[in-house]
Amino acid sequence: MASPTATSETNAGFVRRDDHRTFIRLRGRRLGRPDPGITRALTYLMSAAVHAITAAIMAAAIVVVAIWHDTVLGWLFGAGLAAVALWSRPRAVRPPGGAEEVSRAEAPTLFEVADRVAHAAGVAPPATVYLHDRLFACAHLRVGVRRRPALVIGLPLLLTLTPRERAGMLAVAFSEDVGGDPARGLLVRSALLTAGEWRHALLSTRVERYRPTGDAVIDNVWFPGERIGSQLIGKITGAVLGWPLFLAEFALTRLLAGQSQVARYYADQVAARAVSAVLRYLDALTMADGRLTPILSAARRGASIDEIRCAVPLSGDVDREAVIARREASSARRTWRDLAPPLALRAALLEEGDAQEGSTGIDEAESDRIDAELSHHLARTVRTLSQSSP
């Protein structure tokens, strides 16, 4: 059973009360794919409104250039507006920076296992796989304008997982594609990114502070007053322009939060019906620090990949009280921008559900072959981890 602390947090702020209400409404139920409703229609409408601002800025740039095409100032102003519109344009999903693509010929076992788990989850198999040396996560993305299915695997996470947990990792990543979360769509996702970029650009402006090693700080009387004045004017202007966009981002996020939570809960149940180790994988994510610490220590000692894999703590060796405590801690770091439910509630909903676990998995031999196929990638990751800060 789930711990009371993980499922009864009602006085910890607006966002967590909202998470808790959704959890209480869904606990003990076998969920179906969320149906579109008025909330989703409002979400798409607001997303379209955010993109309409970008279109209006581009239209203004064209009008300015058309009217004042014979002046340098008109071209400069029009070009500036066009640059802003292009900067805030809708963008397709891209792999994270530093990710390296691997082919089926290079990692046949990895692709074979991914295809099997994707089929069990009812998802199209990945067209490509990307590996990342510093990412402690795994995600299934729709990349590019053509939205090709791609699997992004963080190698530090892969190192910390047992074979069964690796199957859970793949199932949880693939099931995101069947949850029906509107935040994964191009229109809504790009609207969130655009509103966030506007808010950051307009509201994060602040008077500069200099390093204390002999440089001026704002408290010094000889600090250039005209620079302070110009930055204060920028702050005021940014606040006037930025607050409406902040409110738009907040409203869109609140519309999405409930939908994304239900979609994630449903996706977890789909994953659990596909493989048998989803709950173990969620607990591995919850205990990330405890998983990474022995691996980092082994990497700094110059241990081999096999020695590092032996340093991975087995799921059965983890103290359940420690897992419960970390689940509670994971919920305490929530902000209003978080759309998916916390790991604590995801794990608790699976524990209280009656869905039968699936039989698809990864055995020891397959896991070892995956390590062999990715050996030079994993060796590079170990070198990266050995150079990381303690």
Side-chain angles (χ1 to χ4, degrees):
M1 293 296 291
S3 64
T5 55
T7 60
S8 60
E9 302 168 19
T10 58
N11 298 312
F14 171 76
V15 176
R16 287 180 43 196
R17 287 199 301 270
D18 186 48
D19 292 343
H20 182 259
R21 285 195 298 268
T22 303
F23 171 81
I24 292 297
R25 178 167 57 89
L26 301 177
R27 68 191 308 175
R29 292 171 49 187
R30 177 165 177 161
L31 304 179
R33 183 183 175 89
D35 295 324
I38 185 64
T39 304
R40 183 160 301 192
L42 289 174
T43 301
Y44 289 133
L45 183 62
M46 182 164 288
S47 301
V50 171
H51 292 308
I53 297 175
T54 301
I57 295 174
M58 179 59 77
I62 296 173
V63 170
V64 167
V65 172
I67 295 177
W68 290 290
H69 63 277
D70 54 346
T71 65
V72 175
L73 186 61
W75 279 98
L76 290 176
F77 189 57
L81 289 175
V84 170
L86 291 174
W87 169 68
S88 57
R89 73 189 185 279
R91 290 178 174 86
V93 177
R94 295 180 180 179
E100 181 180 0
E101 185 176 2
V102 292
S103 65
R104 286 185 176 269
E106 183 180 357
T109 306
L110 175 61
F111 275 90
E112 178 185 348
V113 168
D115 292 348
R116 185 171 70 239
V117 176
H119 177 74
V123 178
T128 186
V129 173
Y130 294 93
L131 305 177
H132 200 285
D133 288 344
R134 291 185 175 274
L135 192 66
F136 194 82
C138 179
H140 183 246
L141 306 177
R142 292 286 180 168
V143 176
V145 178
R146 297 172 57 190
R147 294 178 59 78
R148 296 172 63 241
L151 186 65
V152 179
I153 301 176
L155 292 177
L157 173 63
L158 192 70
L159 278 172
T160 66
L161 299 179
T162 63
R164 291 188 63 195
E165 291 165 351
R166 289 180 172 185
M169 174 192 74
L170 294 176
V172 168
F174 285 131
S175 64
E176 294 179 358
D177 213 33
V178 300
D181 186 358
R184 285 178 58 84
L186 178 61
L187 177 69
V188 178
R189 178 188 174 277
S190 58
L192 272 176
L193 291 176
T194 297
E197 288 174 351
W198 278 108
R199 171 188 50 79
H200 179 73
L202 295 175
L203 296 182
S204 296
T205 306
R206 56 185 178 272
V207 177
E208 287 184 2
R209 295 189 63 87
Y210 289 81
R211 295 181 180 180
T213 57
D215 292 332
V217 294
I218 195 171
D219 298 325
N220 287 3
V221 295
W222 53 273
F223 190 85
E226 64 276 7
R227 184 161 187 172
I228 297 177
S230 65
Q231 290 191 359
L232 288 176
I233 291 173
K235 287 186 66 176
I236 295 172
T237 304
V240 171
L241 296 176
W243 273 104
L245 290 166
F246 167 77
L247 293 176
E249 182 192 12
F250 181 80
L252 183 58
T253 302
R254 296 317 304 156
L255 282 173
L256 279 170
Q259 301 174 76
S260 295
Q261 289 175 32
V262 175
R264 182 66 269 177
Y265 288 138
Y266 168 67
D268 285 343
Q269 290 191 1
V270 171
R273 291 194 290 270
V275 305
S276 60
V278 170
L279 188 57
R280 288 174 178 265
Y281 170 64
L282 294 180
D283 285 342
L285 291 180
T286 302
M287 302 296 292
D289 292 344
R291 292 296 185 98
L292 274 175
T293 299
I295 289 180
L296 288 173
S297 300
R300 294 190 186 105
R301 292 195 307 267
S304 65
I305 297 295
D306 292 337
E307 293 171 336
I308 289 176
R309 291 286 297 145
C310 292
V312 175
L314 298 177
S315 302
D317 298 336
V318 178
D319 184 6
R320 293 304 301 173
E321 292 185 0
V323 173
I324 290 172
R326 291 305 300 272
R327 285 183 183 178
E328 183 178 0
S330 71
S331 300
R333 294 189 293 267
R334 300 280 292 168
T335 69
W336 64 268
R337 293 188 184 91
D338 293 321
L339 296 178
L343 290 170
L345 298 186
R346 291 173 61 185
L349 198 72
L350 282 179
E351 285 181 333
E352 297 191 6
D354 57 356
Q356 186 175 0
E357 289 188 337
S359 57
T360 304
I362 300 176
D363 58 32
E364 292 280 353
E366 286 179 320
S367 182
D368 291 341
R369 288 201 299 272
I370 291 174
D371 287 342
E373 293 170 354
L374 305 181
S375 58
H376 69 281
H377 299 281
L378 292 172
R380 185 185 63 241
T381 300
V382 169
R383 290 195 299 271
T384 301
L385 293 177
S386 67
Q387 298 167 2
S388 62
S389 301

Short mmCIF file of all heavy atoms in Angstrom, two decimals, residues 214-263:
data_model
loop_
_atom_site.label_atom_id
_atom_site.label_comp_id
_atom_site.label_asym_id
_atom_site.label_seq_id
_atom_site.Cartn_x
_atom_site.Cartn_y
_atom_site.Cartn_z
N GLY A 214 36.69 43.27 -6.68
CA GLY A 214 37.16 44.57 -7.14
C GLY A 214 36.24 45.26 -8.11
O GLY A 214 36.45 46.44 -8.41
N ASP A 215 35.21 44.56 -8.65
CA ASP A 215 34.30 45.20 -9.59
C ASP A 215 33.21 45.94 -8.83
O ASP A 215 32.93 45.66 -7.68
CB ASP A 215 33.66 44.15 -10.51
CG ASP A 215 34.69 43.55 -11.44
OD1 ASP A 215 35.68 44.22 -11.76
OD2 ASP A 215 34.50 42.38 -11.82
N ALA A 216 32.58 46.86 -9.52
CA ALA A 216 31.54 47.68 -8.88
C ALA A 216 30.29 46.86 -8.61
O ALA A 216 29.95 45.95 -9.36
CB ALA A 216 31.20 48.86 -9.78
N VAL A 217 29.61 47.20 -7.55
CA VAL A 217 28.30 46.65 -7.25
C VAL A 217 27.32 47.81 -7.20
O VAL A 217 27.70 48.98 -7.15
CB VAL A 217 28.29 45.87 -5.91
CG1 VAL A 217 29.15 44.65 -6.01
CG2 VAL A 217 28.72 46.78 -4.77
N ILE A 218 26.05 47.48 -7.19
CA ILE A 218 25.04 48.51 -7.31
C ILE A 218 25.03 49.47 -6.12
O ILE A 218 24.57 50.60 -6.22
CB ILE A 218 23.65 47.87 -7.50
CG1 ILE A 218 22.65 48.93 -8.00
CG2 ILE A 218 23.16 47.24 -6.21
CD1 ILE A 218 21.33 48.33 -8.40
N ASP A 219 25.58 49.03 -4.96
CA ASP A 219 25.57 49.88 -3.78
C ASP A 219 26.64 50.96 -3.82
O ASP A 219 26.60 51.88 -3.02
CB ASP A 219 25.77 49.02 -2.53
CG ASP A 219 24.65 48.03 -2.35
OD1 ASP A 219 23.50 48.37 -2.67
OD2 ASP A 219 24.92 46.91 -1.89
N ASN A 220 27.62 50.86 -4.70
CA ASN A 220 28.69 51.85 -4.77
C ASN A 220 28.18 53.16 -5.37
O ASN A 220 27.49 53.16 -6.38
CB ASN A 220 29.87 51.33 -5.61
CG ASN A 220 30.65 50.27 -4.86
OD1 ASN A 220 30.28 49.90 -3.76
ND2 ASN A 220 31.71 49.77 -5.47
N VAL A 221 28.55 54.26 -4.77
CA VAL A 221 28.01 55.55 -5.21
C VAL A 221 28.54 55.93 -6.58
O VAL A 221 27.92 56.75 -7.27
CB VAL A 221 28.37 56.65 -4.18
CG1 VAL A 221 27.68 56.35 -2.88
CG2 VAL A 221 29.88 56.73 -3.98
N TRP A 222 29.69 55.36 -7.01
CA TRP A 222 30.24 55.77 -8.29
C TRP A 222 29.80 54.88 -9.45
O TRP A 222 30.28 55.00 -10.55
CB TRP A 222 31.77 55.81 -8.23
CG TRP A 222 32.41 54.54 -7.72
CD1 TRP A 222 32.64 54.21 -6.44
CD2 TRP A 222 32.89 53.45 -8.52
NE1 TRP A 222 33.22 52.98 -6.36
CE2 TRP A 222 33.41 52.50 -7.63
CE3 TRP A 222 32.94 53.19 -9.88
CZ2 TRP A 222 33.96 51.30 -8.06
CZ3 TRP A 222 33.50 52.00 -10.31
CH2 TRP A 222 34.00 51.07 -9.40
N PHE A 223 28.85 53.99 -9.18
CA PHE A 223 28.31 53.15 -10.24
C PHE A 223 27.55 54.03 -11.25
O PHE A 223 26.80 54.89 -10.84
CB PHE A 223 27.36 52.10 -9.65
CG PHE A 223 26.92 51.05 -10.63
CD1 PHE A 223 27.70 49.94 -10.86
CD2 PHE A 223 25.74 51.19 -11.32
CE1 PHE A 223 27.29 48.97 -11.75
CE2 PHE A 223 25.33 50.23 -12.22
CZ PHE A 223 26.11 49.12 -12.44
N PRO A 224 27.74 53.87 -12.54
CA PRO A 224 27.14 54.77 -13.53
C PRO A 224 25.63 54.87 -13.39
O PRO A 224 24.90 53.90 -13.63
CB PRO A 224 27.54 54.14 -14.88
CG PRO A 224 28.73 53.31 -14.59
CD PRO A 224 28.58 52.83 -13.18
N GLY A 225 25.15 56.05 -13.01
CA GLY A 225 23.73 56.22 -12.76
C GLY A 225 22.89 56.06 -14.01
O GLY A 225 21.78 55.56 -13.95
N GLU A 226 23.41 56.46 -15.18
CA GLU A 226 22.61 56.36 -16.38
C GLU A 226 22.36 54.91 -16.76
O GLU A 226 21.33 54.55 -17.33
CB GLU A 226 23.29 57.10 -17.55
CG GLU A 226 24.63 56.51 -18.01
CD GLU A 226 25.79 57.01 -17.16
OE1 GLU A 226 25.53 57.70 -16.15
OE2 GLU A 226 26.94 56.73 -17.52
N ARG A 227 23.29 54.00 -16.40
CA ARG A 227 23.08 52.59 -16.70
C ARG A 227 21.99 52.01 -15.80
O ARG A 227 21.16 51.23 -16.24
CB ARG A 227 24.38 51.81 -16.52
CG ARG A 227 24.25 50.36 -16.92
CD ARG A 227 25.59 49.72 -17.17
NE ARG A 227 25.43 48.38 -17.70
CZ ARG A 227 26.43 47.65 -18.16
NH1 ARG A 227 27.64 48.15 -18.17
NH2 ARG A 227 26.22 46.44 -18.62
N ILE A 228 21.98 52.41 -14.54
CA ILE A 228 20.91 51.96 -13.65
C ILE A 228 19.57 52.44 -14.19
O ILE A 228 18.59 51.68 -14.23
CB ILE A 228 21.13 52.51 -12.22
CG1 ILE A 228 22.42 51.96 -11.64
CG2 ILE A 228 19.96 52.14 -11.32
CD1 ILE A 228 22.73 52.50 -10.26
N GLY A 229 19.51 53.71 -14.61
CA GLY A 229 18.25 54.23 -15.10
C GLY A 229 17.76 53.50 -16.32
O GLY A 229 16.57 53.16 -16.42
N SER A 230 18.65 53.20 -17.26
CA SER A 230 18.23 52.51 -18.47
C SER A 230 17.74 51.10 -18.16
O SER A 230 16.77 50.62 -18.74
CB SER A 230 19.38 52.46 -19.48
OG SER A 230 20.46 51.67 -18.97
N GLN A 231 18.40 50.44 -17.20
CA GLN A 231 17.96 49.08 -16.87
C GLN A 231 16.64 49.10 -16.11
O GLN A 231 15.81 48.20 -16.28
CB GLN A 231 19.05 48.38 -16.06
CG GLN A 231 20.28 48.06 -16.89
CD GLN A 231 21.23 47.14 -16.16
OE1 GLN A 231 20.98 46.76 -15.03
NE2 GLN A 231 22.32 46.80 -16.81
N LEU A 232 16.45 50.12 -15.26
CA LEU A 232 15.16 50.22 -14.57
C LEU A 232 14.04 50.47 -15.56
O LEU A 232 12.94 49.92 -15.43
CB LEU A 232 15.21 51.32 -13.51
CG LEU A 232 16.05 51.02 -12.28
CD1 LEU A 232 16.09 52.22 -11.36
CD2 LEU A 232 15.49 49.80 -11.53
N ILE A 233 14.31 51.31 -16.56
CA ILE A 233 13.31 51.53 -17.60
C ILE A 233 13.02 50.22 -18.33
O ILE A 233 11.86 49.89 -18.63
CB ILE A 233 13.80 52.61 -18.59
CG1 ILE A 233 13.83 53.98 -17.90
CG2 ILE A 233 12.90 52.67 -19.82
CD1 ILE A 233 14.47 55.06 -18.75
N GLY A 234 14.08 49.44 -18.59
CA GLY A 234 13.87 48.14 -19.23
C GLY A 234 13.05 47.20 -18.37
O GLY A 234 12.19 46.46 -18.86
N LYS A 235 13.28 47.22 -17.05
CA LYS A 235 12.51 46.37 -16.15
C LYS A 235 11.03 46.76 -16.17
O LYS A 235 10.14 45.90 -16.22
CB LYS A 235 13.05 46.47 -14.73
CG LYS A 235 14.38 45.77 -14.51
CD LYS A 235 14.77 45.79 -13.05
CE LYS A 235 13.79 44.95 -12.24
NZ LYS A 235 14.19 44.87 -10.82
N ILE A 236 10.78 48.08 -16.10
CA ILE A 236 9.39 48.53 -16.08
C ILE A 236 8.69 48.17 -17.39
O ILE A 236 7.57 47.66 -17.41
CB ILE A 236 9.33 50.05 -15.82
CG1 ILE A 236 9.85 50.36 -14.42
CG2 ILE A 236 7.91 50.57 -15.99
CD1 ILE A 236 10.02 51.84 -14.15
N THR A 237 9.39 48.43 -18.51
CA THR A 237 8.80 48.09 -19.81
C THR A 237 8.55 46.59 -19.93
O THR A 237 7.50 46.14 -20.40
CB THR A 237 9.74 48.55 -20.95
OG1 THR A 237 9.98 49.94 -20.80
CG2 THR A 237 9.12 48.27 -22.30
N GLY A 238 9.53 45.79 -19.48
CA GLY A 238 9.36 44.34 -19.54
C GLY A 238 8.20 43.86 -18.69
O GLY A 238 7.46 42.96 -19.08
N ALA A 239 8.03 44.48 -17.51
CA ALA A 239 6.92 44.09 -16.64
C ALA A 239 5.58 44.42 -17.27
O ALA A 239 4.64 43.62 -17.24
CB ALA A 239 7.06 44.77 -15.28
N VAL A 240 5.49 45.62 -17.88
CA VAL A 240 4.23 46.02 -18.50
C VAL A 240 3.86 45.08 -19.64
O VAL A 240 2.72 44.67 -19.80
CB VAL A 240 4.33 47.48 -19.00
CG1 VAL A 240 3.12 47.85 -19.85
CG2 VAL A 240 4.44 48.44 -17.81
N LEU A 241 4.86 44.73 -20.46
CA LEU A 241 4.61 43.84 -21.60
C LEU A 241 4.56 42.37 -21.19
O LEU A 241 3.87 41.57 -21.82
CB LEU A 241 5.70 44.02 -22.66
CG LEU A 241 5.79 45.41 -23.31
CD1 LEU A 241 6.97 45.47 -24.25
CD2 LEU A 241 4.51 45.73 -24.05
N GLY A 242 5.30 42.03 -20.14
CA GLY A 242 5.45 40.62 -19.79
C GLY A 242 4.34 40.04 -18.96
O GLY A 242 4.03 38.85 -19.07
N TRP A 243 3.69 40.86 -18.12
CA TRP A 243 2.67 40.30 -17.25
C TRP A 243 1.49 39.68 -17.99
O TRP A 243 1.02 38.61 -17.61
CB TRP A 243 2.19 41.36 -16.25
CG TRP A 243 3.04 41.38 -15.03
CD1 TRP A 243 4.01 42.29 -14.70
CD2 TRP A 243 3.04 40.41 -13.97
NE1 TRP A 243 4.61 41.96 -13.52
CE2 TRP A 243 4.03 40.80 -13.05
CE3 TRP A 243 2.31 39.26 -13.72
CZ2 TRP A 243 4.29 40.08 -11.89
CZ3 TRP A 243 2.58 38.54 -12.58
CH2 TRP A 243 3.56 38.95 -11.67
N PRO A 244 0.99 40.31 -19.06
CA PRO A 244 -0.08 39.61 -19.79
C PRO A 244 0.36 38.26 -20.34
O PRO A 244 -0.41 37.30 -20.33
CB PRO A 244 -0.41 40.60 -20.92
CG PRO A 244 0.00 41.93 -20.40
CD PRO A 244 1.22 41.67 -19.57
N LEU A 245 1.61 38.19 -20.81
CA LEU A 245 2.11 36.90 -21.32
C LEU A 245 2.33 35.92 -20.18
O LEU A 245 2.11 34.71 -20.35
CB LEU A 245 3.41 37.13 -22.08
CG LEU A 245 3.23 37.87 -23.41
CD1 LEU A 245 4.56 38.37 -23.93
CD2 LEU A 245 2.56 36.98 -24.43
N PHE A 246 2.74 36.43 -19.01
CA PHE A 246 2.86 35.55 -17.85
C PHE A 246 1.49 34.97 -17.48
O PHE A 246 1.35 33.77 -17.20
CB PHE A 246 3.45 36.31 -16.67
CG PHE A 246 3.32 35.58 -15.36
CD1 PHE A 246 4.15 34.53 -15.05
CD2 PHE A 246 2.32 35.93 -14.45
CE1 PHE A 246 4.02 33.84 -13.85
CE2 PHE A 246 2.18 35.26 -13.25
CZ PHE A 246 3.04 34.21 -12.95
N LEU A 247 0.46 35.81 -17.48
CA LEU A 247 -0.88 35.33 -17.16
C LEU A 247 -1.36 34.33 -18.21
O LEU A 247 -2.03 33.35 -17.87
CB LEU A 247 -1.85 36.51 -17.07
CG LEU A 247 -1.61 37.49 -15.91
CD1 LEU A 247 -2.57 38.66 -15.99
CD2 LEU A 247 -1.75 36.77 -14.57
N ALA A 248 -1.01 34.57 -19.47
CA ALA A 248 -1.39 33.61 -20.51
C ALA A 248 -0.70 32.27 -20.29
O ALA A 248 -1.32 31.20 -20.41
CB ALA A 248 -1.03 34.17 -21.89
N GLU A 249 0.59 32.31 -19.93
CA GLU A 249 1.31 31.06 -19.65
C GLU A 249 0.72 30.36 -18.44
O GLU A 249 0.56 29.13 -18.44
CB GLU A 249 2.79 31.36 -19.42
CG GLU A 249 3.62 30.11 -19.17
CD GLU A 249 5.00 30.42 -18.67
OE1 GLU A 249 5.26 31.57 -18.29
OE2 GLU A 249 5.83 29.48 -18.61
N PHE A 250 0.41 31.13 -17.40
CA PHE A 250 -0.17 30.52 -16.20
C PHE A 250 -1.51 29.87 -16.51
O PHE A 250 -1.78 28.74 -16.09
CB PHE A 250 -0.33 31.59 -15.12
CG PHE A 250 -0.90 31.06 -13.82
CD1 PHE A 250 -0.11 30.40 -12.91
CD2 PHE A 250 -2.26 31.22 -13.53
CE1 PHE A 250 -0.64 29.90 -11.73
CE2 PHE A 250 -2.80 30.73 -12.36
CZ PHE A 250 -1.98 30.07 -11.45
N ALA A 251 -2.37 30.58 -17.25
CA ALA A 251 -3.68 30.02 -17.58
C ALA A 251 -3.55 28.77 -18.43
O ALA A 251 -4.26 27.76 -18.20
CB ALA A 251 -4.52 31.08 -18.30
N LEU A 252 -2.64 28.79 -19.42
CA LEU A 252 -2.46 27.62 -20.26
C LEU A 252 -1.91 26.45 -19.46
O LEU A 252 -2.34 25.30 -19.65
CB LEU A 252 -1.51 27.97 -21.42
CG LEU A 252 -1.23 26.88 -22.45
CD1 LEU A 252 -2.52 26.42 -23.10
CD2 LEU A 252 -0.26 27.40 -23.53
N THR A 253 -0.99 26.74 -18.54
CA THR A 253 -0.43 25.67 -17.71
C THR A 253 -1.49 25.06 -16.81
O THR A 253 -1.55 23.84 -16.63
CB THR A 253 0.73 26.23 -16.86
OG1 THR A 253 1.72 26.78 -17.73
CG2 THR A 253 1.37 25.13 -16.03
N ARG A 254 -2.35 25.90 -16.23
CA ARG A 254 -3.39 25.37 -15.36
C ARG A 254 -4.42 24.56 -16.15
O ARG A 254 -4.94 23.57 -15.66
CB ARG A 254 -4.09 26.52 -14.62
CG ARG A 254 -3.22 27.30 -13.66
CD ARG A 254 -2.33 26.42 -12.82
NE ARG A 254 -3.06 25.42 -12.07
CZ ARG A 254 -2.54 24.30 -11.64
NH1 ARG A 254 -1.28 24.01 -11.91
NH2 ARG A 254 -3.27 23.46 -10.94
N LEU A 255 -4.72 24.98 -17.37
CA LEU A 255 -5.62 24.18 -18.21
C LEU A 255 -5.01 22.82 -18.53
O LEU A 255 -5.71 21.81 -18.59
CB LEU A 255 -5.92 24.92 -19.51
CG LEU A 255 -6.94 26.06 -19.46
CD1 LEU A 255 -6.97 26.80 -20.79
CD2 LEU A 255 -8.33 25.54 -19.11
N LEU A 256 -3.70 22.80 -18.73
CA LEU A 256 -3.03 21.56 -19.11
C LEU A 256 -2.77 20.62 -17.95
O LEU A 256 -2.69 19.41 -18.14
CB LEU A 256 -1.69 21.88 -19.79
CG LEU A 256 -1.73 22.27 -21.25
CD1 LEU A 256 -0.38 22.79 -21.70
CD2 LEU A 256 -2.14 21.07 -22.11
N ALA A 257 -2.62 21.17 -16.73
CA ALA A 257 -2.16 20.37 -15.61
C ALA A 257 -3.04 19.14 -15.37
O ALA A 257 -2.55 18.01 -15.28
CB ALA A 257 -2.07 21.23 -14.35
N GLY A 258 -4.34 19.36 -15.24
CA GLY A 258 -5.24 18.24 -14.99
C GLY A 258 -5.22 17.22 -16.12
O GLY A 258 -5.22 16.01 -15.88
N GLN A 259 -5.20 17.71 -17.37
CA GLN A 259 -5.19 16.80 -18.51
C GLN A 259 -3.90 15.99 -18.56
O GLN A 259 -3.91 14.78 -18.83
CB GLN A 259 -5.35 17.60 -19.81
CG GLN A 259 -6.62 18.41 -19.90
CD GLN A 259 -6.64 19.28 -21.14
OE1 GLN A 259 -6.86 18.80 -22.25
NE2 GLN A 259 -6.41 20.57 -20.96
N SER A 260 -2.78 16.65 -18.30
CA SER A 260 -1.49 15.95 -18.34
C SER A 260 -1.38 14.92 -17.22
O SER A 260 -0.80 13.84 -17.41
CB SER A 260 -0.35 16.96 -18.24
OG SER A 260 -0.32 17.82 -19.36
N GLN A 261 -1.93 15.23 -16.05
CA GLN A 261 -1.88 14.28 -14.94
C GLN A 261 -2.68 13.02 -15.26
O GLN A 261 -2.21 11.90 -15.07
CB GLN A 261 -2.38 14.94 -13.68
CG GLN A 261 -1.44 15.99 -13.11
CD GLN A 261 -2.03 16.70 -11.91
OE1 GLN A 261 -2.80 16.13 -11.16
NE2 GLN A 261 -1.67 17.96 -11.74
N VAL A 262 -3.90 13.20 -15.76
CA VAL A 262 -4.72 12.04 -16.10
C VAL A 262 -4.05 11.23 -17.22
O VAL A 262 -4.03 9.99 -17.17
CB VAL A 262 -6.13 12.48 -16.52
CG1 VAL A 262 -6.96 11.29 -16.99
CG2 VAL A 262 -6.84 13.17 -15.36
N ALA A 263 -3.50 11.93 -18.21
CA ALA A 263 -2.82 11.24 -19.31
C ALA A 263 -1.62 10.44 -18.80
O ALA A 263 -1.38 9.32 -19.25
CB ALA A 263 -2.39 12.25 -20.37
#
